[in-house]
Structure formats: structure tokens, C-alpha cells
């Protein structure tokens, strides 16, 4: 969500800071700002509009300088307002930007107010700025080190002091922060993407690190003050992927990129082998007797689909938990459980916290399924599978979801093979169907004009129900989530058999009911559930496989998918649901790529 960019250079760094914020816009934000040092003064501009508006203000006010920090903020403490926007300043001497949440901010605020500090915002962040100022004795790094020892919660910060004109200090704990290494200029950022086009040489800081950058170099220490020389890597940030091309929105572009994303994710998969998940996978997976999947939002829905695959193919019990709930209950650890974390960014705060909790309980077999090779999650687990969805800009995840499903299906096959439940002929058949998926997805995408016609009608509604059964119930959940996220139509999903246990009371002619209807073993049961809807005057919108014998009639609207795809059917059926959400949002005129109140990478609890 919130984004940080900082720089110490020998040139006007403001264009780099603003461009860095522009590259982080996809994460979601409701205010932004920049602060630079010039002639011993802090020049600051903040806006509750878009980064483009900030850039105009910066130009009008002639803000420039060789040392600076910038930020996009997603409101937690304090409303989206200029006084709450970052950077926040203490006594005109310390400027600071912050990602995360400070849990003991009320206690610190009271202490600082008693010491004479005056607060101008409602944020938890302002306590850090004043705390750093209270410790500042001419060495900014030492002041930051002293201040962060007082903080409880998650933070990534970048700080500058008017008395140290060529220096920026950063610190992190629980929120990501990287160092960018240039030619006699150095940078801080919450995401390497912010530095695309400026430098590809990146060092990833660890929890507890405090780092100082200036025009000559950078130096990091760990939480105990010992030198921490973090490795500098070359990171390709795929900046070109962040261009719209012929599409109206990134969400639309990313929906249509799914055939390529699936193909890229499968490119190196020649056979089903533990090596797909890392060098230690053979040993780590050999004695697995159960699977626990931890994830949030869309990634949680991918986990729900995977539970069906893992139990059906590998014969292993599989539990799927919402990451933000898992660590707050008493669970029974099993050292032979494979704990699998699923996240697009690999920086999701709740998922990372769940991983730490699992590790603290003694779970040593851990696996990441992630779209970002350099993310914290990929570094924290023993095993990893990197999906190749490419940069996903739209807040509502699409192509990352389908590639997560590919990874989890491969995991299911791998576990099945390790347990002697996958023969050579069956393995070949599964791989053949996987490789045909891009073609099958392209055929589903060709249904867009039919879905657009439905979207015109959906855009006039305020509520919708989504139904699915078995393997496709999680797809109904995902379809409802997409519609909520981008069109703001209230939507709920149910296992279709649950209709008569309550939700049927909501069904009227004004409540469209979207049904995912593959030609599987539960089809006839699903048809009975559909009749329950029709008997109450509800209108059905059915995404059906071609051979389901569900015909369009009064109150029953049908879009036919080209083919039934067996266990992989959820990957095809989610696509028209994504298109329905996108086009309904388009008709309603919402900000499709940046839905209100939402952020791409949720880095706070």
C-alpha cells in the first residue's frame, strides 16, 4: 500500500522522487507528498489528489534539491487530508515518511506532548518524527536508532534532517525497505519498482536494520548496532510492463495477459518433480503428511481451490486459513505439515506474520507461492515457487490468481507423485492439459462481448448473489469479491446447496444470481439449486460448459464456455467473472485500477 522513495545525490532529485511515486501508484493511496533539503531548509509539498497533481504543485513552487524523501499514503490513522499526508515534519528540522502502523503511538504521543511537542496530524507517524527530533544531537542515524527502539508495531521509514543536507536515514521492521545503488547517488524505496529506470542494483534490508545513505555510499547496521553489509543484487524491475498499451485499464490488460502468464509460469515445467519448488524440496516433501495453506483475499480463494486438488490427487488432508486469523488462535502444530503461503506481492503483512507464527510453533516445512522473486516471503521460506504473471498493476488481482492456481496444481501433482498416487500416463495427461490452458483461456476471453452485454444490466443493480459447488465454490467467492472490489456492487457468494439455509430469502427479481456451472459431478445438484432461484422469481446469469444442456430461457441467461476442463476448470471459469466485474465497473464509472479504500499490497495489519 503506502510507498516510500528517498534519495541522496549530486543533482536535483525531485523528478526521480515523483517518478518513483508514479510507479508505486498501483499499490493504492489517498494522499502523497515530497520533501527536499535546499539551503538548509526543508521544502515540502503534499496533496490529497494524484501524483500528477503533486508534480504540478512541485513545479509551481519550484521545489528542488539533491536530498529528499517522498511518499504515497493509504490512510489508517487519520482521514485522507493534507495535514495527515506524509512527509511529516518536526520543528522544521526533521522530515519523515512511514509505512506501517505504530501500535504504541498513543502512549508515545502522551509522553511527547508532556515534553512540549505539538501535534498537527491525527497520524501514528507523527510520533516517530517528534521522537527522532527528541533524540537528535547532530547524528541522524543515532537518533533514528534510539527512536525505533521505542516503537511497537511495523514500520519502514525514511528520514532527513535540515542540519545534515546530504543524508537520508532509513529503518525497517515488518515493512519492506530497499537500498538502490547508483553512480555516486543512493536511494531508499519500499519497492524496487520505484527505482526502475534509475538503478537496477538493489540491496534488501532485514528487520531491525537502520541504514544511512549519502552521495558517497551507504551503510547499514542491525538492531544491535553491528555492521550489516547486505548483498547488492541486480534486479530487473520490468518497468515496461507498467505501460497500458491498447487497453483502457490495467485490469483489462491483465485479464487478457492470462494466457501468456500461464504459459510463462509453465515454461520451465518439463515434468512433475520436487525440484520445481527448490533444491531442498525432495527432502522437505518426502514425509509431509498434511498441508496448511495461509493466505488473504484472492490468494485465500486460490488456497480453497487447492484444497480440493491436494486431497483428491495426493490424498493428504489440507486445511486453508485466513492468514490474519491463524495467528490469533490456539492451533496444534504438526512438524510434518507443509505450511504453504500464497501471496501476489510476498509482502502482505498478515501473511508474513502468519508465517512467523507458524515458524515459532515449530513448523519447519514452509513453501512460498509468490509473484515477486525478491519479496520477504520468498526469502523467509525453505521452499518457493515463483509464478510468472509479470507486474500486476490493477488492485483487483487477476493474472496473479490464475498463476497461483497453476503453482498449486503443480504442488498437488508433486505431492501425489511422491506418495505413489500419480502414474506416468496420468502425469503426461495432466501436463498436456496444462500446456493447452493458454489456448483454452484465449477461447474464453473471446466471450467478452457477451459478458459486456450482461454488464450493462448488472451496472444498474446494487446487490448480487454468486453460486458455485465443490471445486467451483471458491470461484464464486472470487467472482463476488471482484464485483465488490471494482464496481462497488454488494455481492456475496454461497455454496449453492446453502441457498435453502438462508440466502434464498434475499432472492427477488432485483437480485441477479450468477451461477458457475461446469459439467462436473455436481451439475444436476446445481440445476436443482437454480430451479430454487427461478421458483422465487430470481434471474439467473449462468456461466456453463458447452455440454451442460442449460438453455437460455425467460429468467435464465447463459454464456457458454468452449469446453469442460476437468480439475483445471476453475482456471477457465474465473475469467468471465473477472470480465463481468471489469465491465460492470466500467459502466458505473468507477476508478477500476484504484478502487476506493483499497490497496494493492497490504503491508499493515
Amino acid at each position: 500500500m503506502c510507498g516510500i522513495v528517498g534519495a541522496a545525490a549530486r543533482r536535483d532529485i525531485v523528478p526521480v522522487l515523483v517518478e518513483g511515486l508514479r510507479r508505486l501508484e498501483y499499490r493504492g493511496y489517498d494522499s502523497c507528498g515530497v520533501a527536499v533539503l535546499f539551503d538548509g531548509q526543508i521544502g515540502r509539498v503534499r496533496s490529497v489528489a494524484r501524483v500528477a497533481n503533486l508534480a504540478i504543485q512541485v513545479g509551481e513552487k519550484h521545489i528542488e534539491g539533491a536530498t529528499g524523501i517522498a511518499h504515497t499514503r493509504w490512510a489508517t490513522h487519520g482521514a485522507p487530508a493534507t495535514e495527515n499526508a506524509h512527509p511529516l515534519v518536526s520543528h522544521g528540522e526533521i522530515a519523515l515518511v512511514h509505512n506501517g502502523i505504530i501500535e504504541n503511538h498513543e502512549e508515545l504521543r502522551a509522553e511527547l506532548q508532556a515534553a512540549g511537542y505539538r501535534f498537527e496530524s491525527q497520524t501514528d507517524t507523527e510520533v516517530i518524527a517528534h521522537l527522532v527530533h527528541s533524540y537528535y544531537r547532530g547524528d541522524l542515524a543515532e537518533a533514528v536508532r534510539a527512536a525505533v527502539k521505542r516503537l511497537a508495531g511495523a514500520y519502514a521509514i525514511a528520514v532527513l534532517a535540515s542540519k545534515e543536507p546530504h543524508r537520508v536515514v532509513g529503518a525497517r521492521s515488518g515493512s519492506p525497505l530497499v537500498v538502490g545503488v547508483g553512480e555516486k547517488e543512493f536511494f531508499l524505496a519500499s519497492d524496487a519498482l520505484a527505482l526502475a529506470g534509475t538503478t537496477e542494483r538493489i540491496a534488501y534490508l532485514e528487520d531491525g536494520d537502520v541504514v544511512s545513505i549519502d552521495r558517497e555510499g551507504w551503510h547499514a547496521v542491525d538492531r544491535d548496532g553491528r555492521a550489516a553489509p547486505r548483498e547488492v543484487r541486480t534486479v530487473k524491475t520490468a518497468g515496461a510492463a507498467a505501460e497500458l498499451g491498447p487497453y483502457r485499464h490495467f485490469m483489462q490488460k491483465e485479464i487478457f495477459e492470462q494466457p501468456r502468464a500461464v504459459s510463462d509460469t509453465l515454461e520451465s515445467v518439463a515434468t512433475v518433480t520436487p525440484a520445481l519448488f527448490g533444491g531442498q524440496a525432495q527432502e522437505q516433501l518426502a514425509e509431509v503428511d498434511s498441508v496448511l495453506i495461509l493466505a488473504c483475499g484472492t490468494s485465500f480463494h486460490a488456497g480453497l481451490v487447492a484444497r480440493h486438488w491436494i486431497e483428491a490427487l495426493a490424498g493428504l488432508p489440507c486445511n486453508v486459513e485466513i492468514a490474519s486469523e491463524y495467528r490469533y488462535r490456539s492451533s496444534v502444530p504438526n512438524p510434518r505439515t507443509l505450511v504453504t503461503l500464497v501471496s501476489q506481492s510476498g509482502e502482505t503483512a498478515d501473511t508474513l506474520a502468519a508465517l512467523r507464527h507458524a515458524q515459532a510453533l515449530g513448523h519447519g516445512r514452509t513453501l512460498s507461492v509468490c509473484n515477486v522473486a525478491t519479496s520477504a516471503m520468498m526469502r523467509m521460506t525453505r521452499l518457493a515457487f515463483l509464478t510468472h504473471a509479470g507486474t500486476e498493476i490493477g488492485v483487483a488481482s487477476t493474472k496473479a490468481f490464475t498463476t497461483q492456481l497453476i503453482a498449486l496444481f503443480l504442488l498437488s501433482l508433486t505431492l501425489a507423485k511422491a506418495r505413489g498416487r500419480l502414474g506416468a500416463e496420468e502425469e503426461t495427461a495432466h501436463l498436456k492439459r496444462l500446456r493447452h490452458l493458454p489456448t483454452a483461456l484465449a477461447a474464453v476471453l473471446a466471450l467478452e462481448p457477451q459478458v459486456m452485454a450482461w454488464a450493462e444490466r448488472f451496472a444498474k443493480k446494487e446487490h448480487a448473489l454468486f453460486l458455485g459447488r465443490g471445486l467451483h465454490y471458491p470461484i464464486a467467492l472470487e467472482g463476488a469479491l471482484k464485483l465488490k472490489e471494482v464496481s462497488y456492487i454488494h455481492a456475496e457468494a454461497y455454496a449453492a446447496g446453502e441457498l435453502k439455509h438462508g440466502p434464498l430469502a434475499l432472492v427477488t427479481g432485483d437480485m441477479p444470481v450468477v451461477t458457475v456451472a461446469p459439467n462436473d459431478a455436481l451439475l444436476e445438484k446445481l440445476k436443482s439449486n437454480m430451479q430454487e432461484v427461478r421458483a422465487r422469481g430470481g434471474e439467473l446469469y449462468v456461466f456453463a460448459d458447452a455440454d451442460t444442456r442449460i438453455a437460455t430461457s425467460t429468467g435464465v441467461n447463459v454464456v457458454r464456455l468452449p469446453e469442460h476442463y476437468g480439475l483445471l476448470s476453475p482456471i477457465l471459469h474465473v475469467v468471465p467473472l473477472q470480465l463481468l466485474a471489469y465491465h460492470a465497473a466500467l459502466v458505473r464509472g468507477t476508478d477500476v485500477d484504484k478502487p476506493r479504500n483499497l490497496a494493492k499490497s497490504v503491508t499493515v495489519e
Side-chain angles (χ1 to χ4, degrees):
M1 50 178 57
C2 305
I4 289 174
V5 191
R10 299 172 185 271
R11 56 175 169 139
D12 178 20
I13 211 67
V14 172
V16 173
L17 297 177
V18 172
E19 175 61 17
L21 295 187
R22 188 188 70 80
R23 291 183 178 277
L24 296 179
E25 282 191 290
Y26 76 97
R27 286 175 170 254
Y29 66 105
D30 41 46
S31 63
C32 51
V34 61
V36 296
L37 291 176
F38 186 76
D39 285 344
Q41 302 292 319
I42 296 174
R44 177 176 59 160
V45 177
R46 298 180 290 176
S47 173
V48 291
R50 293 298 182 193
V51 171
N53 175 268
L54 179 72
I56 292 170
Q57 290 190 54
V58 164
E60 290 174 346
K61 295 182 179 181
H62 305 291
I63 298 293
E64 60 180 34
T67 306
I69 54 178
H71 193 259
T72 52
R73 175 180 184 257
W74 188 80
T76 52
H77 296 71
T82 302
E83 65 267 22
N84 293 325
H86 301 199
L88 294 169
V89 173
S90 179
H91 284 70
E93 297 178 349
I94 300 293
L96 179 144
V97 295
H98 164 229
N99 291 354
I101 289 177
I102 303 305
E103 296 173 357
N104 61 337
H105 71 98
E106 292 178 342
E107 169 192 332
L108 292 172
R109 178 183 286 254
E111 175 185 318
L112 289 161
Q113 285 175 327
Y117 284 90
R118 179 172 172 269
F119 284 76
E120 298 178 350
S121 78
Q122 292 80 52
T123 68
D124 55 335
T125 298
E126 193 172 2
V127 301
I128 316 176
H130 291 321
L131 198 59
V132 171
H133 182 271
S134 72
Y135 284 113
Y136 186 63
R137 302 291 185 273
D139 187 329
L140 184 59
E142 286 302 311
V144 169
R145 281 192 61 213
V148 297
K149 288 179 180 178
R150 302 286 312 281
L151 304 180
Y155 60 82
I157 60 175
V159 195
L160 53 80
S162 59
K163 296 178 181 178
E164 297 182 60
H166 306 301
R167 190 182 200 190
V168 179
V169 174
R172 67 151 292 186
S173 180
S175 290
L177 192 67
V178 305
V179 177
V181 178
E183 295 297 326
K184 293 191 175 181
E185 56 184 22
F186 297 84
F187 308 90
L188 296 177
S190 53
D191 188 324
L193 180 64
L195 305 178
T198 301
T199 182
E200 294 181 339
R201 300 179 65 206
I202 303 294
Y204 290 86
L205 300 175
E206 301 293 337
D207 271 359
D209 283 358
V210 174
V211 63
S212 177
I213 64 170
D214 58 32
R215 301 184 301 182
E216 303 299 329
W218 66 283
H219 177 71
V221 297
D222 64 19
R223 65 176 74 252
D224 296 318
R226 296 173 298 205
R230 305 304 181 196
E231 177 187 359
V232 177
R233 313 176 189 181
T234 299
V235 176
K236 301 294 183 181
T237 47
E243 302 300 329
L244 262 178
Y247 298 96
R248 293 184 64 178
H249 297 90
F250 283 108
M251 183 178 180
Q252 183 188 31
K253 178 189 180 198
E254 288 154 13
I255 290 171
F256 277 83
E257 285 178 337
Q258 287 176 111
R260 180 205 55 76
V262 167
S263 179
D264 289 350
T265 299
L266 290 168
E267 185 175 4
S268 60
V269 179
T271 185
V272 174
T273 170
L276 295 171
F277 301 93
Q280 300 180 51
Q282 183 80 45
E283 174 189 353
Q284 290 286 308
L285 299 181
E287 297 183 0
V288 163
D289 66 5
S290 60
V291 178
L292 170 62
I293 299 175
L294 302 173
C296 301
T298 286
S299 298
F300 174 70
H301 297 158
L304 292 176
V305 175
R307 176 169 61 190
H308 287 268
W309 289 336
I310 290 168
E311 295 195 344
L313 292 169
L316 290 173
C318 178
N319 193 21
V320 187
E321 297 208 34
I322 298 170
S324 58
E325 292 292 319
Y326 166 70
R327 65 191 175 110
Y328 292 115
R329 69 172 185 83
S330 297
S331 57
V332 181
N334 172 7
R336 294 177 65 183
T337 293
L338 177 65
V339 179
T340 302
L341 296 305
V342 186
S343 167
Q344 187 281 136
S345 67
E347 303 289 352
T348 306
D350 287 319
T351 309
L352 291 176
L355 170 57
R356 294 187 190 100
H357 178 67
Q359 290 170 330
L361 290 176
H363 285 290
R365 303 172 196 271
T366 54
L367 164 68
S368 292
V369 173
C370 183
N371 193 44
V372 181
T374 53
S375 65
M377 196 172 85
M378 294 284 273
R379 300 195 302 274
M380 289 170 63
T381 57
R382 292 191 177 183
L383 309 181
F385 186 99
L386 177 66
T387 59
H388 292 279
T391 303
E392 190 178 63
I393 302 296
V395 166
S397 181
T398 52
K399 62 179 180 173
F401 176 70
T402 53
T403 54
Q404 286 171 354
L405 290 176
I406 296 296
L408 292 167
F409 189 74
L410 288 170
L411 175 63
S412 305
L413 294 179
T414 302
L415 292 170
K417 189 173 182 179
R419 292 169 58 80
R421 294 172 59 100
L422 183 69
E425 185 176 331
E426 190 178 5
E427 176 183 345
T428 300
H430 283 305
L431 289 173
K432 183 178 180 180
R433 292 183 79 77
L434 281 169
R435 294 194 182 100
H436 180 66
L437 262 177
T439 301
L441 283 166
V444 176
L445 287 165
L447 300 172
E448 184 182 31
Q450 297 177 57
V451 178
M452 289 170 67
W454 284 10
E456 292 283 345
R457 296 152 76 178
F458 261 77
K460 301 171 185 175
K461 306 295 184 180
E462 293 302 326
H463 308 277
L465 288 178
F466 284 67
L467 302 179
R469 295 205 71 152
L471 193 59
H472 293 79
Y473 167 50
I475 298 306
L477 287 167
E478 178 61 12
L481 177 61
K482 285 291 157 287
L483 192 66
K484 281 184 279 197
E485 284 179 310
V486 298
S487 75
Y488 314 148
I489 295 171
H490 172 241
E492 298 297 336
Y494 292 91
E498 285 293 291
L499 261 182
K500 64 182 75 69
H501 297 289
L504 200 56
L506 296 172
V507 172
T508 69
D510 291 326
M511 173 77 81
V513 179
V514 181
T515 308
V516 183
N519 189 17
D520 60 14
L522 290 171
L523 178 61
E524 294 307 317
K525 298 288 186 184
L526 183 65
K527 287 181 178 179
S528 296
N529 303 137
M530 291 164 58
Q531 288 301 319
E532 293 169 356
V533 172
R534 286 299 301 128
R536 275 75 180 178
E539 186 165 13
L540 288 160
Y541 292 82
V542 186
F543 291 105
D545 288 342
D547 49 2
T548 52
R549 298 187 303 280
I550 300 174
T552 297
S553 61
T554 302
V556 181
N557 309 280
V558 181
V559 167
R560 298 192 182 282
L561 276 66
E563 57 184 309
H564 179 57
Y565 223 71
L567 286 175
L568 292 169
S569 174
I571 297 174
L572 297 188
H573 271 276
V574 76
V575 174
L577 299 181
Q578 296 169 348
L579 289 169
L580 178 62
Y582 170 72
H583 284 289
L586 207 61
V587 175
R588 288 169 71 96
T590 65
D591 192 343
V592 177
D593 288 332
K594 303 180 184 70
R596 67 188 182 202
N597 304 332
L598 300 181
K600 182 63 181 172
S601 180
V602 185
T603 55
V604 297
E605 184 179 358

